């Protein structure tokens, strides 16, 4: 397939607090972003447990609905507070006029229904001395969110991902040590399909960091680990998938081995391309693109944070080294996006080695975009002046066009690519 020319990117929309306020309320910070399969709807979750949905009209995205998905809870047995923060949102396949979404915090997954409800008004007839019936008219409609299922008590550890199966009926949820398989219609039971918990927790050497179903084959799913590996599993082989079908891991270069090697090799996110041919994975310093048919080595390694290698000690002491950056592919798989610090994120045209750098800056949203050859990407980036408290962790790529939604603090930025002439 011939790679198309990189599009000309431009700023499109900004949602959220537009004034430069010093103190951002913790609950307003964006924590999950997801387009539906058509791209007509965009859901955004925050640390306050809210979900806001936008609908695309002819040119822009407009507010569609907002609901409180999760509330803060307390686990009295373990004396632990359970945050209301939305970790992931997934849209179910649409079968009628209603929308269904799965949302999850650390412990509980919920199925929400969004549907249009007409508001009716009854008008009393004038008293004419005859028998008259009052008339009912529909004055306006509103979008109502209702909780349909609650999938609870199945995870002892924090849920990091949920992924819907291509069959439209089942989904998986993953925490640090286990992956469960659910039917969307049944909340009372789930099946444990991966369990990496050792008998003795002192022998624990790795955790699951993300999991995803294959977009086309309902029997295949993958999960990534804190050791930098990705395992592809086939549910037809075993009920408990403790044996993988394929194993993707790049051996570490001995010349760069350091105290931080294990931390920075942990995979924070992995995604299939739309056709299921490639796997995109993100660790702290790099993006890797794997061909699903070649386990030996990635077809492409993109160095994102190479300029931060000298700062790893400081980043470890400040805990920034544990930040989990997401990654996503464009609809045709030719472009990949991921985030960085200073509210910067990148779009890589990986077949042509061209990178577009965006700074999600609400004061100057339109003029902080530049497209350059990959080799020159970080020329003017100085790690000493970067603001590590500002970061783009969460994002989503429109499933049909070059449109990217990115969260930066309590704001949502939309950028669109116009086809290059």
């Amino acid at each position: 397939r011939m790679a198309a020319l990189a599009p000309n990117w431009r700023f499109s929309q900004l949602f959220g607090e537009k004034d430069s306020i010093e103190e951002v309320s913790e609950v307003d910070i964006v924590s999950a972003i997801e387009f539906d399969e058509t791209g007509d709807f965009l859901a955004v979750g925050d640390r306050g447990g809210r979900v806001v949905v936008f609908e695309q009209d002819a040119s822009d995205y407009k507010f569609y609905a907002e609901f409180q998905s999760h509330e803060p809870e307390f686990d009295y047995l373990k004396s632990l507070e359970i945050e209301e923060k939305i970790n992931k949102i997934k849209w179910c396949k649409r079968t009628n006029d209603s929308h269904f979404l799965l949302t999850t915090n650390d412990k509980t997954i919920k199925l929400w229904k969004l549907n249009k409800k007409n508001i009716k008004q009854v008008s009393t007839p004038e008293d004419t001395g005859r028998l008259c019936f009052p008339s009912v008219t529909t004055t306006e409609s509103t979008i109502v969110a209702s909780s349909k299922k609650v999938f609870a008590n199945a995870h002892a550890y924090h849920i990091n991902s949920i992924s819907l199966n291509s069959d439209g009926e089942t989904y998986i949820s993953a925490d640090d040590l286990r992956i469960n398989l659910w039917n969307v219609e049944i909340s009372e039971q789930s099946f444990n399909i991966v369990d990496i918990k050792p008998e003795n927790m002192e022998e624990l050497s790795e955790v699951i960091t993300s999991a995803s179903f294959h977009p086309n084959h309902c029997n295949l799913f993958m999960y990534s680990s804190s050791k930098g590996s990705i395992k592809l599993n086939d549910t037809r082989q075993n009920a408990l998938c403790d044996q993988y079908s394929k194993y993707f891991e790049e051996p570490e270069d001995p010349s760069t081995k350091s105290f931080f090697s294990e931390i920075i090799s942990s995979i924070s996110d992995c995604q299939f391309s739309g056709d299921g041919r490639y796997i995109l994975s993100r660790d702290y310093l790099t993006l890797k693109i794997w061909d699903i048919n070649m386990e030996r080595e990635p077809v492409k390694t993109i160095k994102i944070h190479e300029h931060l290698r000298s700062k790893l000690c400081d980043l470890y002491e400040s805990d920034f080294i544990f930040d989990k950056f997401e990654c996503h592919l464009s609809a045709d798989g030719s472009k990949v996006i991921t985030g960085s610090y200073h509210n910067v994120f990148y779009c890589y045209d990986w077949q042509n080695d061209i990178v577009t750098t965006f700074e999600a800056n609400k004061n100057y949203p339109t003029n902080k975009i530049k497209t350059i050859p990959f080799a020159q990407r970080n020329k003017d980036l100085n790690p000493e002046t970067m603001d590590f408290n500002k970061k783009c962790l969460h994002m989503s790529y429109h499933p049909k066009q070059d449109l990217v939604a990115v969260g930066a603090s309590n704001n949502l930025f939309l950028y669109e690519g116009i086809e290059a002439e």
Side-chain angles (χ1 to χ4, degrees):
R1 182 176 60 200
M2 286 296 289
L5 285 170
N8 295 316
W9 288 94
R10 69 180 185 195
F11 167 76
S12 175
Q13 283 178 274
L14 170 63
F15 295 99
E17 185 67 56
K18 293 180 176 64
D19 299 328
S20 289
I21 45 173
E22 285 304 308
E23 280 301 311
V24 172
S25 177
E26 179 83 7
V27 294
D28 294 334
I29 293 175
V30 173
S31 60
I33 303 173
E34 191 78 14
F35 283 102
D36 77 334
E37 63 179 345
T38 64
D40 294 341
F41 292 87
L42 171 64
V44 181
D46 67 19
R47 291 190 185 177
R50 293 177 299 250
V51 174
V52 181
V53 179
F54 300 95
E55 181 181 20
Q56 190 176 28
D57 64 9
S59 56
D60 287 336
Y61 279 85
K62 302 271 191 335
F63 174 82
Y64 181 73
E66 179 179 352
F67 59 95
Q68 185 73 34
S69 171
H70 287 70
E71 303 278 359
E73 294 173 59
F74 194 79
D75 185 331
Y76 292 99
L77 284 175
K78 296 179 180 171
S79 292
L80 280 178
E81 201 171 331
I82 301 166
E83 281 186 301
E84 66 272 41
K85 170 178 163 274
I86 306 294
N87 289 346
K88 287 284 184 268
I89 302 170
K90 294 291 174 190
W91 293 82
C92 300
K93 278 193 165 65
R94 200 170 174 190
T95 53
N96 54 28
D97 288 344
S98 302
H99 296 276
F100 288 89
L101 303 95
L102 285 169
T103 63
T104 185
N105 67 350
D106 283 341
K107 294 289 180 186
T108 306
I109 305 155
K110 294 184 182 182
L111 177 68
W112 289 89
K113 178 184 180 181
L114 293 178
N115 63 315
K116 199 172 272 190
K117 195 172 185 181
N118 292 328
I119 298 171
K120 295 184 170 65
Q121 268 191 342
V122 179
S123 53
T124 313
E126 292 175 23
D127 188 6
T128 58
R130 291 187 310 209
L131 179 62
C132 293
F133 289 98
S135 59
V136 179
T137 54
T138 301
T139 53
E140 57 179 323
S141 63
T142 183
I143 305 301
V144 178
S146 48
S147 175
K148 288 293 168 193
K149 298 275 178 194
V150 177
F151 306 88
N153 306 319
H155 286 281
Y157 306 96
H158 289 179
I159 298 170
N160 55 49
S161 36
I162 48 177
S163 177
L164 275 145
N165 197 335
S166 57
D167 65 11
E169 293 178 10
T170 55
Y171 74 92
I172 51 173
S173 58
D175 67 23
D176 296 333
L177 298 178
R178 297 189 181 102
I179 299 175
N180 292 332
L181 177 68
W182 302 83
N183 187 306
V184 178
E185 299 293 326
I186 303 166
S187 56
E188 299 79 48
Q189 66 169 348
S190 63
F191 299 94
N192 179 233
I193 55 171
V194 172
D195 187 345
I196 65 165
K197 184 182 178 185
E199 283 187 28
N200 179 1
M201 280 296 270
E202 287 178 10
E203 293 168 8
L204 181 69
S205 62
E206 68 177 324
V207 293
I208 297 165
T209 55
S210 78
S212 179
F213 262 122
H214 191 281
N216 308 321
H217 300 301
C218 61
N219 54 299
L220 294 179
F221 71 96
M222 66 172 169
Y223 68 91
S224 60
S225 92
S226 58
K227 279 194 162 175
S229 65
I230 298 168
K231 290 172 182 170
L232 187 72
N233 294 58
D234 190 337
T235 53
R236 294 178 305 190
Q237 290 179 348
N238 293 90
L240 185 67
C241 300
D242 47 4
Q243 299 295 316
Y244 51 82
S245 303
K246 293 193 176 186
Y247 183 82
F248 305 90
E249 183 181 17
E250 190 171 32
E252 190 191 354
D253 180 355
S255 65
T256 59
K257 192 169 176 63
S258 72
F259 168 75
F260 306 107
S261 294
E262 201 166 305
I263 300 169
I264 60 175
S265 67
S266 175
I267 294 173
S268 55
D269 193 19
C270 61
Q271 304 280 341
F272 283 105
S273 60
D275 58 6
R277 169 79 190 274
Y278 295 103
I279 294 170
L280 174 68
S281 72
R282 170 74 206 258
D283 58 42
Y284 193 68
L285 295 184
T286 66
L287 269 177
K288 292 191 174 97
I289 298 164
W290 298 85
D291 186 319
I292 201 168
N293 299 317
M294 188 174 81
E295 299 165 70
R296 189 177 71 251
E297 60 184 2
V299 289
K300 184 89 171 175
T301 298
I302 302 167
K303 293 179 178 177
I304 293 155
H305 278 166
E306 201 58 30
H307 56 288
L308 299 181
R309 205 177 266 280
S310 60
K311 299 266 302 172
L312 290 178
C313 192
D314 297 342
L315 292 163
Y316 176 74
E317 286 174 6
S318 58
D319 276 355
F320 291 131
I321 201 168
F322 300 105
D323 284 334
K324 292 176 169 50
F325 293 95
E326 292 178 5
C327 57
H328 293 274
L329 293 112
S330 61
D332 64 358
S334 68
K335 293 174 284 293
V336 296
I337 55 169
T338 194
S340 182
Y341 295 105
H342 212 77
N343 280 356
V344 165
F345 74 98
Y346 303 103
C347 177
Y348 294 92
D349 177 345
W350 64 277
Q351 288 153 329
N352 294 322
D353 268 346
I354 294 169
V355 59
T356 304
T357 305
F358 306 77
E359 186 185 327
N361 185 322
K362 60 185 170 188
N363 299 322
Y364 321 99
T366 54
N367 58 0
K368 293 280 187 174
I369 304 168
K370 62 173 188 280
T371 301
I372 50 173
F374 180 73
Q376 301 165 18
R377 69 201 177 285
N378 291 329
K379 251 189 352 193
D380 51 357
L381 269 185
N382 181 359
E384 302 305 322
T385 58
M386 288 181 84
D387 188 341
F388 291 97
N389 286 301
K390 292 179 177 171
K391 47 200 154 194
C392 293
L393 299 175
H394 309 288
M395 55 199 61
S396 188
Y397 210 118
H398 192 289
K400 296 190 173 167
Q401 63 192 79
D402 286 319
L403 184 78
V404 175
V406 177
S409 186
N410 59 343
N411 292 106
L412 175 73
F413 291 80
L414 294 178
Y415 296 88
E416 61 179 340
I418 311 302
E419 282 305 314
E421 293 299 319

